[in-house]
Amino acid sequence: MDSLNLDEPHSMGTTIIGVTYDGGVVLGADSRTSTGVYVANRASDKITQLTDNVYVCRSGSAADSQIVSDYVRYFLHQHTIQLGQPATVKVAANLVRLLSYNNKNMLQTGLIVGGWDKYEGGKIYGIPLGGTILEQPFAIGGSGSSYLYGFFDQAWKEGMTKEEAESLMVKAVSLAIARDGASGGVVRTVTINADGVTRNFYPGDTLPLWHEEIPAQNSLLDILSAPSPEPMSM
Amino acid sequence: MSKAAVDLPPKGGFSFDLCKRNDMLAKQGLSGPSFRKTGTTIVGLIFQDGVILGADTRATEGPIVCDKNCEKIHYMAPNIYCCGAGTAADTEAVTDMVSSQLQLHRYHTGRESRVITALTLLKKHLFNYQGYVSAALVLGGVDCTGPHLHTIYPHGSTDTLPFATMGSGSLAAMAMFESKYKEGLSRDEGIQLVVEAICSGIFNDLGSGSNVDVCVITKGHKEYLRNHLLPNPRTYVNEKGYTFPKKIEVLMTKITPLKERVEIIETGDAMEE
């Protein structure tokens, strides 16, 4: 058991997922940021906005991923002004890839870029450690993703509806949270399509329970502080 | 070392060679000079009218308490304060530097500083030094966009939270916050909770101790309550104070008032646009 070292760099153990559906994309993530074994932030937001129509899921080192997404947001803003129209998801993903690849020795961050543009519709690009760029119908990342490869092989289908995609997302993140110590907290999702962006939030008690998970109970303290029964009288 | 390795052209940026040398020396057993750390418990929370920051006042140099009443809540702007944990020199230097940058920015823009400005300046600086500037900060303030509370870690990552704790006593303080925090606390309830959290750190963490400092920031107004609570008074105090071994005799008293050295001459014409 590691001794509690609060000087460790912050990493987002994480489970991040991006899924395309018929008409857009859904991005999802857990909310745990850990320093070694201590949970530094139990309600972090790992889905960061790059432009109005492109978001990125961050995993790996918290500092590295925040800085990369800050730089990309800045470059995309300039690009949008120069171009005169919203940036495409492909451009955003490539800017992320250029930073990740050219600084691969110094960065430790895996990212999933997802969004909607009028040329290609909904697109997901996975950019793991090292800076490869892969356009995929769905992408998973972070330490919790190890537990989801088999699940997605079985559960993923082409041409899902928005509701199907979102519930698949929530199910997948909650499965990963159940098995991965470095993932936890709440499930956040962002849905991006032609109509715009919708953020959703699923706290722990709304998630389904899996094998050996027991339902939440009231604390013994609440039971003990209840009024004691009347003494018996003859 | 391989001489066949290709010579890379010198790149810009900070050179971490000496840091690597230090790490190697430490592995070989050489202990570096001990420096002053602020063991620390620092906290912040958002209440209904703004932000409350709290800190303990112990500074340690290895196992020794070198300052029993240091100030850990640093001024950044009239509406922004920052608590610092980690190496005392680093927290002082980085908060001073960003405070100056914010003041220049205020002159430049003619507006009140925003908390995210301070956040970005701090995070950029700390990231550039890759965690070697050992400053863990709780930044809080109220600006035109509302109350804000952020934590900044030595590697440059930041979190935005309704309540936050940092330092060696952060676990003890977080335990208090997690059980008692709720949204929309009043000013007195907020101060009470902050004091409880800091006391929890003071009494349960060896790196934190002495007194509690509190800073309350609301829209257009701030209150820096230095030594708001002193739960560790000196138990045995000698009434005589310090006495010199030999009796000191006063031979002569001479008082010389210092003359004004600077003469102010009426300025000429005011500067033209």
Side-chain angles (χ1 to χ4, degrees):
Chain A
M1 168 78 163
D2 298 320
S3 64
L4 195 71
N5 181 12
L6 293 168
D7 293 327
E8 288 231 3
H10 274 234
S11 80
M12 297 175 303
T14 310
T15 305
I16 49 172
I17 307 178
V19 155
T20 54
Y21 70 90
D22 183 26
V25 299
V26 185
L27 296 173
D30 72 307
S31 71
R32 180 173 286 186
T33 308
S34 42
T35 341
V37 298
Y38 177 61
V39 177
N41 187 352
R42 62 179 166 88
S44 37
D45 184 9
K46 302 183 189 179
I47 312 179
T48 315
Q49 183 182 27
L50 294 180
T51 70
D52 289 336
N53 54 321
V54 181
Y55 279 66
V56 64
C57 296
R58 304 179 287 112
S59 75
S61 155
D64 291 348
S65 67
Q66 283 179 6
I67 288 285
V68 166
S69 43
D70 283 348
Y71 270 113
V72 173
R73 194 182 313 123
Y74 165 64
F75 294 140
L76 274 177
H77 188 209
Q78 290 183 322
H79 172 74
T80 307
I81 291 171
Q82 289 170 345
L83 197 64
Q85 58 184 21
T88 56
V89 190
K90 185 183 260 195
V91 166
N94 273 293
L95 283 170
V96 173
R97 182 260 304 183
L98 285 169
L99 279 174
S100 286
Y101 180 75
N102 290 325
N103 297 294
K104 62 160 75 191
N105 294 328
M106 288 162 290
L107 291 173
Q108 197 177 43
T109 169
L111 301 150
I112 297 179
V113 178
W116 184 94
D117 59 50
K118 68 182 189 202
Y119 299 106
E120 306 249 6
K123 284 283 182 210
I124 292 282
Y125 292 87
I127 303 152
L129 256 52
T132 325
I133 182 170
L134 275 175
E135 200 261 295
Q136 301 164 303
F138 69 89
I140 54 179
S143 58
S145 66
S146 321
Y147 307 100
L148 296 176
Y149 284 100
F151 173 73
F152 268 92
D153 281 345
Q154 191 255 350
W156 159 261
K157 299 190 307 290
E158 262 312 312
M160 287 190 285
T161 66
K162 180 163 78 122
E163 288 71 29
E164 284 176 335
E166 185 135 353
S167 59
L168 177 71
M169 172 74 68
V170 173
K171 192 170 175 192
V173 180
S174 76
L175 280 167
I177 286 175
R179 286 291 179 179
D180 179 31
S183 303
V186 303
V187 179
R188 293 189 194 272
T189 65
V190 172
T191 310
I192 314 171
N193 53 29
D195 306 322
V197 177
T198 329
R199 267 193 179 273
N200 273 320
F201 166 79
Y202 299 87
D205 47 7
T206 60
L207 300 175
L209 289 170
W210 304 112
H211 177 54
E212 281 180 341
E213 286 192 313
I214 49 177
Q217 290 173 334
N218 273 331
S219 155
L220 206 57
L221 292 170
D222 297 332
I223 301 167
L224 287 174
S225 67
S228 48
E230 286 285 325
M232 289 206 292
S233 59
M234 290 294 269
Chain B
M1 299 301 264
S2 158
K3 283 214 168 123
V6 177
D7 257 341
L8 290 167
K11 276 191 185 169
F14 189 74
S15 162
F16 290 97
D17 295 339
L18 286 178
C19 294
K20 289 193 219 137
R21 176 207 72 169
N22 292 343
D23 287 338
M24 186 202 71
L25 286 173
K27 258 201 246 349
Q28 289 178 349
L30 180 78
S31 64
S34 81
F35 48 85
R36 185 201 277 216
K37 294 187 81 137
T38 49
T40 309
T41 307
I42 48 174
V43 305
L45 62 73
I46 296 194
F47 73 111
Q48 73 187 24
D49 301 323
V51 174
I52 306 179
L53 300 173
D56 74 304
T57 60
R58 173 181 286 183
T60 52
E61 219 165 68
I64 302 168
V65 175
C66 58
D67 191 345
K68 288 181 277 188
N69 205 3
C70 72
E71 280 186 33
K72 300 187 190 180
I73 306 187
H74 307 286
Y75 168 89
M76 298 286 272
N79 57 325
I80 307 173
Y81 274 75
C82 185
C83 307
T87 307
D90 287 340
T91 57
E92 283 281 345
V94 92
T95 49
D96 268 352
M97 183 191 82
V98 171
S99 170
S100 310
Q101 288 178 341
L102 284 176
Q103 190 170 29
L104 288 171
H105 193 248
R106 276 200 295 285
Y107 290 141
H108 202 77
T109 57
R111 289 173 167 77
E112 189 186 57
S113 295
R114 299 193 191 188
V115 183
I116 41 165
T117 316
L119 182 73
T120 309
L121 291 167
L122 286 164
K123 143 204 270 230
K124 281 261 153 93
H125 183 83
L126 291 174
F127 183 80
N128 282 339
Y129 286 90
Q130 288 289 294
Y132 286 103
V133 173
S134 178
L137 309 164
V138 172
L139 176 73
V142 181
D143 57 33
C144 58
T145 47
H148 295 277
L149 180 68
H150 302 282
T151 50
I152 308 158
Y153 295 91
H155 286 263
S157 61
T158 59
D159 284 316
T160 309
L161 293 161
F163 58 92
T165 66
M166 297 276 265
S168 55
S170 63
L171 267 66
M174 187 52 99
M176 295 305 298
F177 273 172
E178 284 283 17
S179 54
K180 296 190 180 176
Y181 181 82
K182 47 187 210 294
E183 284 192 14
L185 288 165
S186 71
R187 181 184 179 278
D188 292 325
E189 288 174 331
I191 294 180
Q192 169 71 12
L193 184 54
V194 162
V195 163
E196 277 180 349
I198 299 286
C199 284
S200 162
I202 286 174
F203 295 120
N204 300 102
D205 173 44
L206 300 180
S208 313
S210 298
N211 318 121
V212 181
D213 285 350
V214 176
C215 183
V216 185
I217 311 171
T218 53
K219 181 86 187 136
H221 180 65
K222 62 156 188 281
E223 262 181 86
Y224 184 51
L225 305 166
R226 168 79 171 144
N227 286 358
H228 177 68
L229 188 70
L230 298 108
N232 292 301
R234 264 179 82 190
T235 32
Y236 303 107
V237 186
N238 189 350
E239 286 98 36
K240 281 195 289 186
Y242 188 81
T243 49
F244 291 92
K246 286 196 240 180
K247 192 158 180 281
I248 306 280
E249 204 186 309
V250 177
L251 298 173
M252 184 184 80
T253 310
K254 181 176 173 193
I255 301 173
T256 316
L258 290 171
K259 253 201 298 229
E260 283 258 349
R261 290 300 214 93
V262 177
E263 271 182 57
I264 300 175
I265 312 163
E266 266 304 312
T267 49
D269 297 328
M271 282 210 292
E272 307 244 336
E273 271 295 302

